[in-house]
Amino acid sequence: MFDTGAGPGPRREPRLTAVPDAGAATPEALLHRTALGEDAAFAALYDLMAPRVYGLCVRVLRDPAQAEEVAQEVLVEVWRTATRFDEHRGSAGAWITTIAHRRAVDRVRSAQAAGDRERRAAASSTETEYDSVVEAATSRLEHRQVRRCLKTLTELQRQAVTLAYYGGHTYRQVATLLEAAVPTVKTRIRDGLAKLRDCLEVAR
Amino acid sequence: MSTEVHTLIGAWALDAVDADERRQVEEHLTECASCAQEAGELREAVWRLSDVTLAEPPAALRERVLAEVRRTRQEAPLVSEPEAAPKPARRVPRLRLPRLRLAVGAAALAAVAAFAGVFATWAVLRPEESPTADRMTAVLEAPDAEVAYQEADGGGRVTVVASESLDEAVVVVSDLAAVDDDRSYQVWLVDEAGQESAGVMDAGDSSATMWIDGLGDTDLIGVTEEPAGGSAAPTLPMVADVALPA
């Protein structure tokens, strides 16, 4: 049952350090080590995820200074709460990106509530929303996947999903922007995401 | 009402709900397993939308974040009570686990059967031609035998019966997540200073029983998934890390 031929090897190998292979540098592995308080693992995780966190904040908030501020909050929160990450409930990428998106959106909404934000979003056409997304895409494979998968959505599904995600709008706001019924938008968002999920899974 | 909440899962995954709705949805997800599954899957799709917005952050941000992190305390992990309703095994690489300290002697054998559900495994080992079978019996029947176990990440369980006086232990690995034929589970003895391999399970096997001679200062017994034949150092995270009774 066991390979007992190995015999007692030399004791005192380095304390549980991750094997330096590709697998060890996954966000999940780095997040686990971050949870153990390893500064170096967090620094590596920063290098891996900061462009995603910062980029998303810029996209939602538009203002680079605010985006930088929120990105800092997000990344410190990742460090602080890495101990609560549960990989059974999702990937490290989803966990970190969710924190970033929520924080960015919360910032947008509190600014809206305070009434100090112009309703320029309403002025921007839905085409612009999508075009600037596409524009941001480079030759990276992932970009192509997401772009291709977004194209499998119906026009209304795609507009609803991108306005909500990149624009930081609630589904009710999206309904207003698209001049569509609120229940319709709710349904389109859900169907659109299901399609996106299926497409991305196939693409992997 | 719950169907109403259910239709919000998509909007929730996009953070396109208000604070009230967010609370309602998240409450609903704790009560509805299939909804939680859908929500998780949508989240996994949604975050990929950020693939197209990657942007290099200002260099100064890195220093500021790392500096703030150095003076920021991490939150304590959420500890689930062993008696709590069955939840999927949580894997946070900290020594937090349900531990049983059981009485002695023959009771230990019964305990292994009861807690690890491995009586069949044990029975297979009984044939006298196995030279370690007697040693295992000795460990299980030792007056100071203590049992510790942990639900493994991905399913199954790792049970350890250790005898301090004998300096020996029996490790029962049962029904871990299935692995392909090019992967092996490997068992490690971990102490303050490091770890050593205690043995590599046959490739593709997810259950095994082993006898360990020479526990020394071992603090915990860990199991990792490795390429077939095992590795020189463990690939983290561990599938299980069973702390031995102090």
Side-chain angles (χ1 to χ4, degrees), chain A residues 15 36 88 101-102 143 171, chain B residues 15 21 26 51 93 153 191:
Chain A
R15 172 101 184 144
L36 298 176
H88 293 285
H101 191 258
R102 270 201 185 178
H143 292 207
Y171 69 94
Chain B
D15 297 316
E21 292 166 331
E26 287 175 3
D51 283 1
D153 186 13
D191 67 15

Side-chain angles (χ1 to χ4, degrees), chain A residues 39 42 75-76 79, chain B residues 64-72:
Chain A
D39 292 345
F42 179 75
L75 290 157
V76 172
W79 159 265
Chain B
R64 281 210 310 279
V65 168
L66 296 187
E68 188 175 344
V69 153
R70 274 193 292 275
R71 53 175 192 269
T72 300

Side-chain angles (χ1 to χ4, degrees), chain B residues 98-114:
Chain B
R99 179 188 292 177
L100 295 180
R101 287 160 185 264
L102 292 171
V104 293
L109 180 54
V112 174

Side-chain angles (χ1 to χ4, degrees), chain B residues 100-119 140 145-149 157 159-161:
Chain B
L100 295 180
R101 287 160 185 264
L102 292 171
V104 293
L109 180 54
V112 174
F115 291 107
V118 292
F119 200 78
L140 296 174
E146 292 201 87
V147 182
Y149 76 93
R157 183 179 294 215
T159 306
V160 178
V161 181

Side-chain angles (χ1 to χ4, degrees), chain A residues 1-3 7-19 21 24 29 32-39 42-44 46-47 49-52 54-56 58-59 68-69 71-72 75-76 79-91 93-94 97-98 101-102 105-106 109 133 136-137 140 142-143 145-147 150 160-161 164-166 168-172 186-187 189-190 193-194 196-197 200-201 204, chain B residues 4 6-18 21-22 26 38 41-58 60-62 64-66 68-70 72-78 88-94 121 124-125 153-154 173 187-197 199-202 205 207-210 214-219 226 231-238:
Chain A
M1 236 169 230
F2 268 88
D3 169 20
R11 202 76 190 262
R12 304 291 172 262
E13 283 170 37
R15 172 101 184 144
L16 283 180
T17 42
V19 183
D21 63 11
H32 279 299
R33 287 169 53 206
T34 296
L36 298 176
E38 279 187 44
D39 292 345
F42 179 75
Y46 177 98
D47 293 336
M49 298 302 291
R52 188 177 290 278
Y54 174 73
L56 185 57
V58 170
R59 186 66 185 78
E68 199 177 331
E69 215 176 286
Q72 180 169 344
L75 290 157
V76 172
W79 159 265
R80 212 164 42 75
T81 60
T83 46
R84 307 261 166 114
F85 169 67
D86 181 353
E87 71 180 289
H88 293 285
R89 301 177 64 179
S91 66
T97 309
T98 298
H101 191 258
R102 270 201 185 178
V105 160
D106 286 348
R109 306 240 168 101
V133 169
R140 288 175 55 100
E142 298 80 25
H143 292 207
Q145 278 180 10
V146 169
R147 281 172 62 194
L150 277 174
V161 165
Y165 193 72
Y166 302 114
H169 301 298
T170 66
Y171 69 94
R172 290 177 200 282
K186 231 177 358 180
T187 313
I189 284 178
R190 191 169 160 211
L193 288 184
L196 191 64
R197 171 198 62 195
L200 286 169
E201 270 174 10
R204 265 169 200 207
Chain B
E4 178 67 14
H6 194 89
T7 62
L8 278 175
I9 285 181
W12 169 85
L14 287 169
D15 297 316
V17 291
D18 65 30
E21 292 166 331
R22 185 186 285 179
E26 287 175 3
E38 181 188 348
E41 287 174 9
L42 295 187
R43 272 267 142 111
E44 291 298 323
V46 162
W47 80 275
R48 298 287 310 280
L49 290 170
S50 66
D51 283 1
V52 298
T53 60
L54 303 186
E56 203 51 45
L61 181 62
R62 190 175 196 273
R64 281 210 310 279
V65 168
L66 296 187
E68 188 175 344
V69 153
R70 274 193 292 275
T72 300
R73 191 186 148 77
Q74 291 178 296
E75 278 184 23
L78 298 169
R90 258 183 73 83
R91 175 104 313 271
V92 176
R94 276 271 152 94
T121 311
V124 168
L125 279 168
D153 186 13
V173 177
V187 179
W188 305 87
L189 305 182
V190 184
D191 67 15
E192 282 287 317
Q195 75 279 335
E196 70 172 320
S197 174
V200 181
M201 286 167 57
D202 288 342
D205 273 3
S207 296
T209 302
M210 74 184 303
L215 278 178
D217 298 326
T218 299
D219 296 320
E226 307 289 346
S231 301
T235 302
L236 299 182
M238 290 198 277

Side-chain angles (χ1 to χ4, degrees), chain A:
Chain A
M1 236 169 230
F2 268 88
D3 169 20
T4 46
R11 202 76 190 262
R12 304 291 172 262
E13 283 170 37
R15 172 101 184 144
L16 283 180
T17 42
V19 183
D21 63 11
T26 62
E28 283 76 19
L30 291 172
L31 200 45
H32 279 299
R33 287 169 53 206
T34 296
L36 298 176
E38 279 187 44
D39 292 345
F42 179 75
L45 188 63
Y46 177 98
D47 293 336
L48 206 58
M49 298 302 291
R52 188 177 290 278
V53 168
Y54 174 73
L56 185 57
C57 290
V58 170
R59 186 66 185 78
V60 172
L61 292 161
R62 305 276 180 164
D63 171 11
Q66 271 199 62
E68 199 177 331
E69 215 176 286
V70 172
Q72 180 169 344
E73 290 172 13
V74 169
L75 290 157
V76 172
E77 184 174 339
V78 166
W79 159 265
R80 212 164 42 75
T81 60
T83 46
R84 307 261 166 114
F85 169 67
D86 181 353
E87 71 180 289
H88 293 285
R89 301 177 64 179
S91 66
W95 190 72
I96 292 169
T97 309
T98 298
I99 294 175
H101 191 258
R102 270 201 185 178
R103 284 252 186 184
V105 160
D106 286 348
R107 177 71 72 104
V108 167
R109 306 240 168 101
S110 61
Q112 278 170 350
D116 63 355
R117 188 172 184 263
E118 290 172 44
R119 304 298 310 265
R120 59 184 156 163
S124 75
S125 83
T126 56
E127 260 331 292
T128 331
E129 287 286 345
Y130 181 58
D131 284 349
S132 52
V133 169
V134 173
E135 194 185 353
T138 70
S139 61
R140 288 175 55 100
L141 177 66
E142 298 80 25
H143 292 207
R144 286 207 301 272
Q145 278 180 10
V146 169
R147 281 172 62 194
R148 190 172 53 72
C149 288
L150 277 174
K151 283 180 185 157
T152 65
L153 275 55
T154 67
E155 183 68 6
L156 186 58
Q157 287 172 346
R158 186 172 53 69
Q159 287 177 327
V161 165
T162 55
L163 277 171
Y165 193 72
Y166 302 114
H169 301 298
T170 66
Y171 69 94
R172 290 177 200 282
Q173 292 167 336
V174 169
T176 306
L177 289 169
L178 295 178
E179 296 174 342
V182 169
T184 309
V185 166
K186 231 177 358 180
T187 313
R188 294 301 179 274
I189 284 178
R190 191 169 160 211
D191 295 347
L193 288 184
K195 229 186 244 181
L196 191 64
R197 171 198 62 195
D198 295 344
C199 177
L200 286 169
E201 270 174 10
V202 171
R204 265 169 200 207

